[in-house]
Amino acid sequence: KAGVTQTPRYLIKTRGQQVTLSCSPISGHRSVSWYQQTPGQGLQFLFEYFSETQRNKGNFPGRFSGRQFSNSRSEMNVSTLELGDSALYLCASSLRTGGDSPLHFGNGTRLTVT
Amino acid sequence: EDQVTQSPEALRLQEGESSSLNCSYTVSGLRGLFWYRQDPGKGPEFLFTLYSAGEEKEKERLKATLTKKESFLHITAPKPEDSATYLCAPGRVGNFNKFYFGSGTKLNVKP
């Protein structure tokens, strides 16, 4: 069974630009969550989608947005990039929404903002 | 306020030297306690789920246990390939379902 696939693996962007990250979940998983990981803050929850609906959102500014398609694939967009947005962005899929089903993570997209 | 604390932040062991990692939590509406392993440059890999106090799960040299306020990850006779960051994540269900990830324990096992 294929795991969670995230593309691209690496991105270098300039401050003020925008970026779109893509995530393909494990087949059959309808929940997709996004996390930001930095050395200082650890894993921070961005948002979760289930059946194309955003179910939960973390404490991030509106520059961070996402969506989920009918095939459960998800994209995350960050507009007006800031230096502090440099991080590893992780996507995770699970069978059920919420906090009672294990998350299965991709290997992330490493975003560097210069 | 919901929070998760993992200790120690870093742990250096000699190969074969057993030890334990701690995860203390205060989470309302707890559904389960999840442990993950993360290698550098990769996403976290799911290890265990514990749902009730007293429950134990084992996988090779790892054993996870759960009480009402803490979870322990016991590592018996570790090998260098066990070196990784171990994350715990209480999962909450209710009006706001989510996982609370701890900051992790970075384990280094030297041969």
Side-chain angles (χ1 to χ4, degrees):
Chain A
K1 203 172 192 180
V4 176
T5 304
Q6 290 188 247
T7 55
R9 285 282 280 136
Y10 302 93
L11 266 178
I12 300 176
K13 290 287 186 178
T14 303
R15 200 167 42 178
Q17 288 185 316
Q18 76 166 22
V19 66
T20 299
L21 313 181
S22 180
C23 172
S24 294
I26 291 173
S27 178
H29 286 193
R30 294 165 63 190
S31 172
V32 174
S33 301
W34 288 88
Y35 288 81
Q36 181 194 68
Q37 188 174 36
T38 58
Q41 297 295 319
L43 270 164
Q44 300 289 311
F45 172 72
L46 281 156
F47 28 67
E48 179 191 13
Y49 287 86
F50 186 86
S51 295
E52 301 178 67
T53 301
Q54 186 181 90
R55 293 299 181 99
N56 294 304
K57 191 177 190 310
N59 294 326
F60 279 82
R63 300 185 296 106
F64 292 82
S65 63
R67 59 178 176 168
Q68 187 180 33
F69 302 97
S70 59
N71 61 0
S72 294
R73 193 176 67 83
S74 178
E75 287 183 347
M76 186 191 112
N77 184 275
V78 187
S79 63
T80 318
L81 283 166
E82 300 178 359
L83 296 177
D85 296 334
S86 294
L88 180 66
Y89 289 89
L90 291 161
C91 166
S93 72
S94 61
L95 280 172
R96 296 181 295 276
T97 183
D100 73 342
S101 181
L103 296 174
H104 298 271
F105 286 86
N107 284 328
T109 294
R110 172 75 62 185
L111 173 64
T112 303
V113 182
T114 61
Chain B
E1 182 183 336
D2 295 333
Q3 49 184 313
V4 184
T5 303
Q6 287 190 249
S7 61
E9 287 186 17
L11 182 61
R12 296 179 69 177
L13 299 173
Q14 287 295 131
E15 184 172 1
E17 180 186 1
S18 301
S19 188
S20 297
L21 282 53
N22 176 262
C23 171
S24 299
Y25 60 91
T26 305
V27 174
S28 58
L30 181 75
R31 178 64 183 95
L33 190 291
F34 299 78
W35 281 97
Y36 295 83
R37 168 195 170 125
Q38 186 173 22
D39 292 297
K42 294 192 173 182
E45 175 190 353
F46 169 66
L47 292 173
F48 305 110
T49 308
L50 301 165
Y51 286 109
S52 56
E55 188 176 359
E56 297 183 354
K57 292 275 181 70
E58 286 190 65
K59 181 179 181 179
E60 296 182 358
R61 295 174 292 282
L62 301 176
K63 183 170 78 171
T65 62
L66 183 67
T67 71
K68 286 189 177 180
K69 297 292 183 185
E70 293 180 298
S71 180
F72 292 92
L73 186 63
H74 306 279
I75 304 176
T76 303
K79 298 182 177 181
E81 53 262 42
D82 295 321
S83 298
T85 296
Y86 291 87
L87 300 162
C88 75
R92 167 184 170 173
V93 295
N95 290 333
F96 186 43
N97 302 345
K98 66 172 294 183
F99 288 99
Y100 294 86
F101 276 89
S103 53
T105 293
K106 187 173 183 179
L107 174 66
N108 184 12
V109 182
K110 306 195 79 174

